[in-house]
Amino acid sequence: MMGASSAVKQVTVCFILATLATVALACSSHYEYAIEEFCLAKFKLDMETLDQRHWCSWDDTVESYGELTNCTYLVALKMNCFWPNRLVDEFFIRVHRHYFHDCSLTGRLLHDPPNRILGPFIIVPILVTLLMTALVVWRSKRTEGIV
């Protein structure tokens, strides 16, 4: 009896593994095609309407990016695929390489600080250099008291 129960468990495990492998293999080509055609096509249109200088602005792209993520999830759900999966990871890596490769890690656009902040960092070292030069010249002309 114990041997029959063990055999049933082995068959059940094999069946589950075979089913999962079939689902995973069935999802690969069809799922990849579906997310490219449905999800990426919409995302491309959204990004084309947005000026390329704003691609790194999270405020400007968060809605489109969220829709892209949700689309990949819904397609996986309809096709009985696991989500996230290797194909989704590779898909988003391609999206990031194409659209977000020049963005900083924080996702914010990098700008120079305003002149009211940048100005003192430029002016103060120049004035200190001129002051020190004038002090050295003045001290070199005064020779009295120097041993």
Side-chain angles (χ1 to χ4, degrees):
M1 224 164 198
M2 195 66 155
S5 174
S6 174
V8 169
K9 286 181 183 178
Q10 286 179 348
V11 169
T12 305
V13 168
C14 288
F15 177 74
I16 291 172
L17 290 175
T19 304
L20 292 177
T22 304
V23 168
L25 291 175
C27 284
S28 64
S29 61
H30 299 294
Y31 178 68
E32 190 171 12
Y33 175 78
I35 61 175
E36 292 280 339
E37 289 300 312
F38 298 116
C39 304
L40 187 60
K42 167 98 171 65
F43 184 74
K44 281 182 180 178
L45 289 174
D46 291 344
M47 294 302 280
E48 286 174 7
T49 61
L50 187 64
D51 186 16
Q52 191 169 356
R53 292 176 300 173
H54 296 283
W55 284 3
C56 291
S57 172
W58 183 242
D59 292 336
D60 295 330
T61 58
V62 67
E63 187 176 336
S64 299
Y65 193 84
E67 289 174 2
L68 178 67
T69 304
N70 289 337
C71 181
T72 61
Y73 172 73
L74 292 173
V75 170
L77 199 62
K78 288 290 186 187
M79 296 181 75
N80 293 323
C81 298
F82 293 106
W83 191 94
N85 58 46
R86 180 185 53 82
L87 294 171
V88 171
D89 292 341
E90 292 170 358
F91 172 77
F92 277 102
I93 287 171
R94 286 193 309 272
V95 167
H96 279 252
R97 282 187 181 148
H98 185 272
Y99 291 100
F100 308 115
H101 65 278
D102 286 334
C103 300
S104 66
L105 294 178
T106 60
R108 297 184 314 185
L109 295 172
L110 300 176
H111 297 288
D112 288 335
N115 286 339
R116 62 183 168 75
I117 294 174
L118 191 59
F121 285 101
I122 295 171
I123 298 297
V124 169
I126 291 172
L127 291 176
V128 169
T129 303
L130 290 173
L131 180 66
M132 293 306 291
T133 305
L135 185 63
V136 168
V137 170
W138 178 70
R139 283 296 281 173
S140 67
K141 288 186 177 182
R142 266 187 75 210
T143 57
E144 47 186 77
I146 299 179
V147 178

